[in-house]
Amino acid sequence: MNGIERVYQFLDEVHTYYLATVEGVQPRVRAFGTALLYDGKLYIQTGKVKPVSKQIAANPKVEICAFKGGKWLRIAGELVNDDNRDVKVAMLDKMPSLKPMYSADDDNMQMLYFKNATATFSSFTEEPEVIQF
Ligand SMILES: Cc1cc2nc3c(=O)[nH]c(=O)nc-3n(C[C@H](O)[C@H](O)[C@H](O)COP(=O)(O)O)c2cc1C
Protein backbone atom coordinates (compact mmCIF):
# COMPACT_ATOMS: atom_id res chain seq x y z
CA MET A 1 0.00 0.00 0.00
CA ASN A 2 1.39 3.44 -0.85
CA GLY A 3 1.31 6.46 1.48
CA ILE A 4 -2.00 8.04 0.45
CA GLU A 5 -3.68 4.62 0.50
CA ARG A 6 -2.56 4.09 4.08
CA VAL A 7 -3.84 7.53 5.09
CA TYR A 8 -7.18 6.73 3.44
CA GLN A 9 -7.39 3.34 5.13
CA PHE A 10 -6.75 4.91 8.54
CA LEU A 11 -9.56 7.46 8.03
CA ASP A 12 -11.87 4.65 6.93
CA GLU A 13 -11.06 2.56 9.98
CA VAL A 14 -11.50 5.33 12.57
CA HIS A 15 -14.95 6.15 11.09
CA THR A 16 -14.87 9.57 12.82
CA TYR A 17 -12.15 12.17 12.45
CA TYR A 18 -12.04 15.86 13.32
CA LEU A 19 -11.73 18.57 10.69
CA ALA A 20 -10.41 22.01 11.64
CA THR A 21 -10.94 25.10 9.53
CA VAL A 22 -10.24 28.75 10.11
CA GLU A 23 -12.86 31.50 10.25
CA GLY A 24 -11.03 34.81 10.43
CA VAL A 25 -8.83 34.36 13.48
CA GLN A 26 -11.09 31.72 15.04
CA PRO A 27 -10.34 27.98 14.61
CA ARG A 28 -13.43 25.80 14.03
CA VAL A 29 -13.46 22.03 14.46
CA ARG A 30 -16.13 19.38 13.96
CA ALA A 31 -16.64 15.65 13.54
CA PHE A 32 -16.46 14.25 10.00
CA GLY A 33 -16.66 10.72 8.67
CA THR A 34 -16.58 10.81 4.88
CA ALA A 35 -13.47 9.75 2.97
CA LEU A 36 -12.90 8.54 -0.55
CA LEU A 37 -9.79 7.69 -2.54
CA TYR A 38 -10.61 8.48 -6.16
CA ASP A 39 -8.27 8.92 -9.10
CA GLY A 40 -5.32 8.96 -6.70
CA LYS A 41 -6.76 11.82 -4.65
CA LEU A 42 -8.08 11.87 -1.08
CA TYR A 43 -11.58 13.36 -0.91
CA ILE A 44 -13.94 14.34 1.87
CA GLN A 45 -17.58 15.32 1.49
CA THR A 46 -19.73 18.12 2.86
CA GLY A 47 -22.67 20.35 1.98
CA LYS A 48 -22.10 23.72 0.30
CA VAL A 49 -24.72 25.31 2.58
CA LYS A 50 -22.71 24.49 5.72
CA PRO A 51 -20.47 27.00 7.52
CA VAL A 52 -17.57 24.53 7.10
CA SER A 53 -17.88 24.81 3.31
CA LYS A 54 -17.98 28.61 3.43
CA GLN A 55 -14.91 28.66 5.68
CA ILE A 56 -13.00 26.43 3.24
CA ALA A 57 -14.04 28.65 0.31
CA ALA A 58 -12.60 31.68 2.12
CA ASN A 59 -9.49 29.84 3.37
CA PRO A 60 -8.78 26.36 1.99
CA LYS A 61 -6.19 25.52 4.65
CA VAL A 62 -7.49 22.80 6.96
CA GLU A 63 -6.22 20.14 9.33
CA ILE A 64 -7.63 16.73 10.20
CA CYS A 65 -6.92 14.71 13.32
CA ALA A 66 -7.84 11.06 13.85
CA PHE A 67 -6.90 8.51 16.50
CA LYS A 68 -6.98 4.72 16.67
CA GLY A 69 -5.13 1.95 18.43
CA GLY A 70 -2.32 4.01 19.92
CA LYS A 71 -1.62 5.87 16.66
CA TRP A 72 -2.83 9.24 15.58
CA LEU A 73 -2.90 10.93 12.21
CA ARG A 74 -2.82 14.58 11.33
CA ILE A 75 -3.35 15.81 7.78
CA ALA A 76 -2.56 19.44 7.09
CA GLY A 77 -3.21 20.81 3.64
CA GLU A 78 -5.54 22.64 1.32
CA LEU A 79 -8.92 21.46 0.07
CA VAL A 80 -9.96 21.88 -3.55
CA ASN A 81 -13.60 21.79 -4.69
CA ASP A 82 -14.34 19.17 -7.37
CA ASP A 83 -17.74 19.30 -9.08
CA ASN A 84 -17.08 16.18 -11.16
CA ARG A 85 -20.35 14.23 -11.00
CA ASP A 86 -18.59 10.85 -11.10
CA VAL A 87 -16.76 11.48 -7.85
CA LYS A 88 -20.03 12.45 -6.13
CA VAL A 89 -21.66 9.26 -7.38
CA ALA A 90 -18.67 7.23 -6.15
CA MET A 91 -19.00 8.82 -2.69
CA LEU A 92 -22.75 8.12 -2.51
CA ASP A 93 -22.15 4.52 -3.63
CA LYS A 94 -19.50 4.03 -0.97
CA MET A 95 -21.63 5.59 1.82
CA PRO A 96 -25.29 5.02 0.94
CA SER A 97 -26.25 6.56 4.31
CA LEU A 98 -25.57 9.95 2.65
CA LYS A 99 -28.33 9.38 0.08
CA PRO A 100 -31.25 10.66 2.18
CA MET A 101 -29.37 13.98 2.59
CA TYR A 102 -27.48 14.43 -0.69
CA SER A 103 -27.58 13.60 -4.36
CA ALA A 104 -25.04 14.08 -7.15
CA ASP A 105 -27.26 16.73 -8.77
CA ASP A 106 -28.53 18.69 -5.79
CA ASP A 107 -26.13 21.70 -6.07
CA ASN A 108 -25.36 21.18 -2.38
CA MET A 109 -23.24 18.04 -2.21
CA GLN A 110 -19.59 19.03 -2.26
CA MET A 111 -16.51 16.90 -2.83
CA LEU A 112 -13.17 18.36 -1.76
CA TYR A 113 -9.74 16.81 -2.30
CA PHE A 114 -6.45 17.49 -0.58
CA LYS A 115 -3.56 19.23 -2.28
CA ASN A 116 -0.19 20.19 -0.77
CA ALA A 117 -0.99 17.76 2.04
CA THR A 118 1.33 16.60 4.78
CA ALA A 119 0.04 13.58 6.68
CA THR A 120 1.83 12.55 9.85
CA PHE A 121 1.34 9.27 11.69
CA SER A 122 2.46 9.57 15.33
CA SER A 123 2.57 7.44 18.45
CA PHE A 124 4.16 7.64 21.89
CA THR A 125 6.59 4.85 20.99
CA GLU A 126 7.66 5.36 17.38
CA GLU A 127 9.19 8.15 15.34
CA PRO A 128 6.62 10.19 13.37
CA GLU A 129 6.12 9.11 9.78
CA VAL A 130 5.45 11.85 7.24
CA ILE A 131 3.62 11.29 3.96
CA GLN A 132 3.17 14.04 1.36
CA PHE A 133 0.53 14.07 -1.33
C1 LIG B 1 -19.71 11.03 13.42
C2 LIG B 1 -20.03 12.21 12.55
C3 LIG B 1 -19.58 12.27 11.24
C4 LIG B 1 -19.89 13.36 10.42
N1 LIG B 1 -19.42 13.40 9.15
C5 LIG B 1 -19.67 14.47 8.36
C6 LIG B 1 -19.11 14.57 7.06
O1 LIG B 1 -18.36 13.69 6.59
N2 LIG B 1 -19.40 15.66 6.32
C7 LIG B 1 -20.20 16.68 6.81
O2 LIG B 1 -20.44 17.66 6.11
N3 LIG B 1 -20.73 16.62 8.04
C8 LIG B 1 -20.47 15.55 8.84
N4 LIG B 1 -20.98 15.50 10.10
C9 LIG B 1 -21.82 16.60 10.57
C10 LIG B 1 -20.97 17.81 10.94
O3 LIG B 1 -20.16 17.53 12.06
C11 LIG B 1 -21.91 18.99 11.26
O4 LIG B 1 -22.76 19.25 10.17
C12 LIG B 1 -21.14 20.25 11.62
O5 LIG B 1 -22.05 21.17 12.20
C13 LIG B 1 -20.47 20.89 10.40
O6 LIG B 1 -19.65 21.96 10.81
P1 LIG B 1 -20.14 23.50 10.62
O7 LIG B 1 -21.36 23.64 11.51
O8 LIG B 1 -18.99 24.32 11.06
O9 LIG B 1 -20.49 23.65 9.18
C14 LIG B 1 -20.68 14.41 10.92
C15 LIG B 1 -21.13 14.37 12.26
C16 LIG B 1 -20.80 13.29 13.05
C17 LIG B 1 -21.31 13.28 14.47
Side-chain angles (χ1 to χ4, degrees):
M1 231 191 290
N2 68 22
I4 195 171
E5 287 169 347
R6 288 179 43 229
V7 170
Y8 170 64
Q9 187 185 46
F10 194 88
L11 290 182
D12 237 12
E13 287 175 359
V14 295
H15 298 300
T16 305
Y17 57 87
Y18 298 90
L19 171 70
T21 53
V22 180
E23 185 176 39
V25 295
Q26 176 64 54
R28 303 281 183 199
V29 65
R30 77 286 287 157
F32 258 50
T34 49
L36 182 72
L37 193 61
Y38 187 92
D39 215 5
K41 297 193 282 258
L42 178 64
Y43 285 85
I44 65 172
Q45 182 276 344
T46 192
K48 289 180 179 174
V49 297
K50 291 191 183 191
V52 58
S53 173
K54 296 182 166 58
Q55 288 154 26
I56 293 164
N59 180 351
K61 289 195 173 202
V62 301
E63 189 155 301
I64 278 176
C65 185
F67 172 75
K68 182 179 79 82
K71 271 195 171 192
W72 61 97
L73 169 69
R74 292 168 107 178
I75 312 169
E78 290 164 52
L79 287 175
V80 180
N81 177 64
D82 188 348
D83 279 319
N84 175 5
R85 191 177 187 281
D86 292 346
V87 74
K88 296 181 185 181
V89 170
M91 183 80 254
L92 293 165
D93 284 348
K94 183 195 163 190
M95 290 189 172
S97 58
L98 294 171
K99 287 184 180 174
M101 293 176 281
Y102 297 100
S103 86
D105 303 304
D106 65 6
D107 290 329
N108 180 39
M109 176 157 175
Q110 182 173 37
M111 295 299 291
L112 298 149
Y113 68 86
F114 271 96
K115 77 166 185 188
N116 300 329
T118 300
T120 308
F121 283 107
S122 303
S123 79
F124 288 119
T125 52
E126 288 167 50
E127 286 299 305
E129 182 191 357
V130 177
I131 295 161
Q132 317 261 12
F133 54 90

